[in-house]
Amino acid sequence: VVLVSGAGSGIGKAIAFLYARLGARLVICGRDRAKLDACEPWLRKLGSPDVLVHTLNIRDSAAVTALIDATYERFGRLDVQVNNAGGQFPKAALDISPNGWKAVIDNNLNGTWYMMHAAAQRWRDTGQPGSIVNIVLTFQRGFPGVAHSCAARAAVTYLSKTVAVEWAQHGIRVNCVAPGVIESSGFQHYSDEARRNFSRGNPMLRHGSVQDIAHAVIYLTGPSGNFVNGELLNVDGGGILWGDLWTIPQPPYFTEGRLE
């Protein structure tokens, strides 16, 4: 039984579809019921024997607890939780408003924590093992244009490393997958200039696909990743080693060597 948040589109949808092909029973959740409902029949056609569709806002801790309750009522167990839900908007750090900062931190950090915490408590209380994968981003060199998300995703990564140790006694593994430039529906949130430069952000000089992330998640949560715990798997074409990646237009300081 696999729970995938943010499964209505993009990376989350690809992850859910691949689990369906492998025969998993699925819980898909997110805020947009129409997108989730559109996915449900396809998941069944691909091979999932049962699909639970549940709408929620992961920033609501009570709603997250209700989701875990609904999962256990339907399936009697949960084996894998993939925390993909989240988001950000491109904005120069100096221009991020307090509300904009809080919204991204609350969604990407607090929402992910509520999901992890609720699942782990249920696993502890039922004596069942579990596996969590958190989808973050490649924050190691910074990420100009999404400082709020960079902060939240780095926090999730080190939160994951911490609880991977604390929760190992309960048979719970916690890992992270960091996508680099992945061509998905999320591309529409960035400017034409930023999208044109994305492929120069890694030494392979191309975009990744949503399937690249889905396969990484399967690796970590299947028998192949059974001895992997507390790790961050970068799926970025080597972008943390080489490349120049901006989600906003580069200031003249960097393109022309002059101050604005």
Side-chain angles (χ1 to χ4, degrees), residues 106-128:
D106 201 16
N107 205 24
N108 293 353
L109 174 55
N110 296 337
T112 300
W113 167 243
Y114 298 147
M115 293 287 286
M116 296 169 63
H117 193 243
Q121 284 188 322
R122 188 60 59 92
W123 285 325
R124 178 201 60 190
D125 294 345
T126 60
Q128 295 176 332

Side-chain angles (χ1 to χ4, degrees), residues 58-126:
I58 62 172
R59 292 181 285 184
D60 183 341
S61 61
V64 169
T65 299
L67 167 66
I68 300 300
D69 289 342
T71 299
Y72 273 80
E73 288 170 8
R74 177 73 160 260
F75 299 113
R77 64 182 299 116
L78 175 64
D79 300 293
V80 173
Q81 182 188 74
V82 182
N83 292 314
N84 166 75
Q88 59 269 332
F89 54 89
K91 180 76 71 172
L94 285 173
D95 297 328
I96 297 174
S97 69
N99 285 337
W101 176 269
K102 290 176 183 177
V104 172
I105 297 297
D106 201 16
N107 205 24
N108 293 353
L109 174 55
N110 296 337
T112 300
W113 167 243
Y114 298 147
M115 293 287 286
M116 296 169 63
H117 193 243
Q121 284 188 322
R122 188 60 59 92
W123 285 325
R124 178 201 60 190
D125 294 345
T126 60

Side-chain angles (χ1 to χ4, degrees), residues 17-69:
F17 274 37
L18 185 50
Y19 273 115
R21 286 175 52 198
L22 296 170
R25 291 175 289 172
L26 282 161
V27 182
I28 58 172
C29 64
R31 287 183 292 184
D32 192 326
R33 181 76 191 204
K35 288 182 178 180
L36 296 172
D37 284 341
C39 288
E40 191 265 349
W42 285 102
L43 293 171
R44 292 181 184 274
K45 289 178 183 178
L46 286 168
S48 179
D50 197 1
V51 181
L52 171 62
V53 177
H54 194 100
T55 53
L56 87 163
N57 185 335
I58 62 172
R59 292 181 285 184
D60 183 341
S61 61
V64 169
T65 299
L67 167 66
I68 300 300
D69 289 342

